[in-house]
Amino acid sequence: MFKKAVITLISLLLASALLGGCSAGDTSSETYSDTAFMLDTVVSVKIYGVPEADARAAVDAAFSEIARLEGVLSSNIVGNGIDLLAQNAGTGYTELDYDAVYVLRKAVEYAELTGGAFDPTVGPVVALWNIRNGSGYVPTDEERAAAAALVDYNKILFDENGRVMLADTGMSVNLGAIAKGYIADRVKALLTSMGIEHAVISLGGNVLAFGGKPDGSDFVIGIQDPFGSTGEIAATVSVRDMSVVSSGDYERYFEADGIRYHHIMDPFAGAPANSGISGVTILSDKSVDGDALSTAVFVLGRNEGLELIESLDGVECVLIGSGGERTVSSGLKDSVVFR
Ligand code: AMP
Ligand code: MG
């Protein structure tokens, strides 16, 4: 999987190098995109409808902002606020950056909405399994139970000064299921402030499109086929201003004794969620919402997940079951095309 991501990155880089070679006066030269490996995934920003120099400046600014926010929100950076929060768990409050507090509060909202299917305090379970593409650890039942016992979003305490504390020693926060969505929203705000009106921000399975194409047509966003290789599409959706976020068991996993262990955890079991879903795609206005919901619906499974999505205004979903079954929420029936 990791190799695949690198190969995808290399081919995307080659493709963007080729695109960059358009001759002056060619209207396509007014579209500029760049790709990088950030946030543990392939990130690309594509700008339409402005001169190339402006687009380049916008893409550079976007990448800087992504790097900054990765530093603030990542669980793998020694000494950042998320790390200090874990170090101070059970003992004291930690002052966090504005963005970390905002995302943490959003994460708690979604934990409440989903009864803990989505839970940012899943950190100890994520750390225990340590799932990378192609490697990980299968814990004992005791180890799973011990990690699951540390998961409880009600034990994230906020004081009146905006500082945060995890109530019990051993607790930690992992914002991996919501951070990319938040970052996409921030990058959109940044690009908009720079005068960009048409763009597609793609952070791994997190796509945020805005403004449609300059010629008035929609962006067509592919939905990864959970059973295909990376880049193989199960369906497409046409969008103008919309976040399209996918979560799936194909994104990060390892195999042991013929079993696939993927990265989306059932916080109660302390183990990869086994809900009968292989891929979830959420359409929403804001990517932070789509990101939290994509992970939550994966954990909840088809029936509960669909019920949740149907109860929310302006949110739609496409679900692909582990046997290939397809489910589309009621507001999306006409705009999704399966291959
Ligand atoms: P996503 O790709 O958005 O579904 O996010 C998956 C990532 O979020 C995982 O790699 C973990 O870091 C973290 N995570 C896993 N399970 C959960 C969960 N139930 N609630 C919140 N975060 C989770
Ligand atoms: Mg998510």
Side-chain angles (χ1 to χ4, degrees):
M1 233 7 221
F2 177 69
K3 266 194 217 130
K4 259 192 236 160
V6 171
I7 291 166
T8 311
L9 173 64
I10 291 167
S11 39
L12 287 169
L13 288 172
L14 280 174
S16 63
L18 291 172
L19 282 175
C22 297
S23 61
D26 180 348
T27 50
S28 65
S29 68
E30 296 192 348
T31 295
Y32 177 78
S33 71
D34 203 358
T35 302
F37 196 82
M38 301 171 93
L39 303 169
D40 229 359
T41 189
V42 177
V43 164
S44 77
V45 178
K46 198 166 193 173
I47 309 278
Y48 298 79
V50 294
E52 186 177 326
D54 296 350
R56 265 180 196 277
V59 169
D60 288 349
F63 282 175
S64 300
E65 179 66 351
I66 294 167
R68 182 187 75 79
L69 287 168
E70 180 169 21
V72 169
L73 300 173
S74 170
S75 307
N76 301 316
I77 296 179
V78 176
N80 77 353
I82 301 300
D83 179 44
L84 294 179
L85 196 56
Q87 284 186 36
N88 298 336
T91 57
Y93 280 87
T94 303
E95 183 137 2
L96 295 179
D97 304 80
Y98 165 85
D99 299 283
V101 176
Y102 181 91
V103 176
L104 207 45
R105 284 194 185 276
K106 265 279 165 219
V108 170
E109 267 177 42
Y110 277 103
E112 284 166 352
L113 181 71
T114 64
F118 175 96
D119 191 325
T121 63
V122 75
V125 176
V126 174
L128 175 65
W129 285 82
N130 193 23
I131 297 182
R132 313 261 143 236
N133 285 314
S135 74
Y137 168 69
V138 182
T140 64
D141 290 349
E142 290 73 26
E143 286 171 325
R144 284 183 208 193
L150 289 166
V151 181
D152 185 353
Y153 63 89
N154 291 301
K155 292 184 177 172
I156 305 176
L157 313 175
F158 296 87
D159 78 2
E160 63 279 5
N161 301 316
R163 297 182 313 159
V164 185
M165 175 172 166
L166 302 174
D168 295 342
T169 307
M171 288 181 74
S172 64
V173 152
N174 184 305
L175 298 174
I178 189 169
K180 288 205 281 286
Y182 174 74
I183 294 172
D185 290 334
R186 296 313 310 154
V187 170
K188 175 181 171 180
L190 174 70
L191 294 178
T192 305
S193 77
M194 294 179 80
I196 305 298
E197 292 176 355
H198 314 272
V200 179
I201 302 154
S202 174
L203 314 177
N206 242 94
V207 179
L208 179 57
F210 64 94
K213 290 189 184 162
D215 66 4
S217 62
D218 285 348
F219 295 113
V220 178
I221 311 291
I223 295 177
Q224 171 69 37
D225 179 353
F227 312 108
S229 45
T230 304
E232 230 171 279
I233 298 304
T236 54
V237 283
S238 297
V239 300
R240 193 177 167 77
D241 292 290
M242 192 67 81
S243 159
V244 183
V245 177
S246 298
S247 283
D249 60 10
Y250 53 86
E251 277 185 326
R252 181 182 301 198
Y253 62 88
F254 71 104
E255 275 162 350
D257 299 326
I259 300 173
R260 177 184 287 198
Y261 297 103
H262 63 78
H263 70 135
I264 303 174
M265 298 292 162
D266 175 341
F268 301 100
N274 189 8
S275 64
I277 291 189
S278 275
V280 175
T281 299
I282 303 286
L283 282 87
S284 57
D285 289 336
K286 286 202 169 183
S287 204
V288 69
D289 300 313
D291 198 0
L293 286 168
S294 69
T295 310
V297 168
F298 189 101
V299 175
L300 290 170
R302 183 191 174 280
N303 294 347
E304 258 192 88
L306 188 62
E307 197 180 317
L308 171 66
I309 296 305
E310 297 286 12
S311 75
L312 300 172
D313 279 343
V315 182
E316 302 294 340
C317 70
V318 178
L319 312 180
I320 301 181
S322 305
E325 328 78 85
R326 296 153 172 184
T327 306
V328 175
S329 62
S330 54
L332 202 59
K333 294 261 186 306
D334 298 330
S335 35
V336 54
V337 178
F338 285 97
R339 290 281 164 102

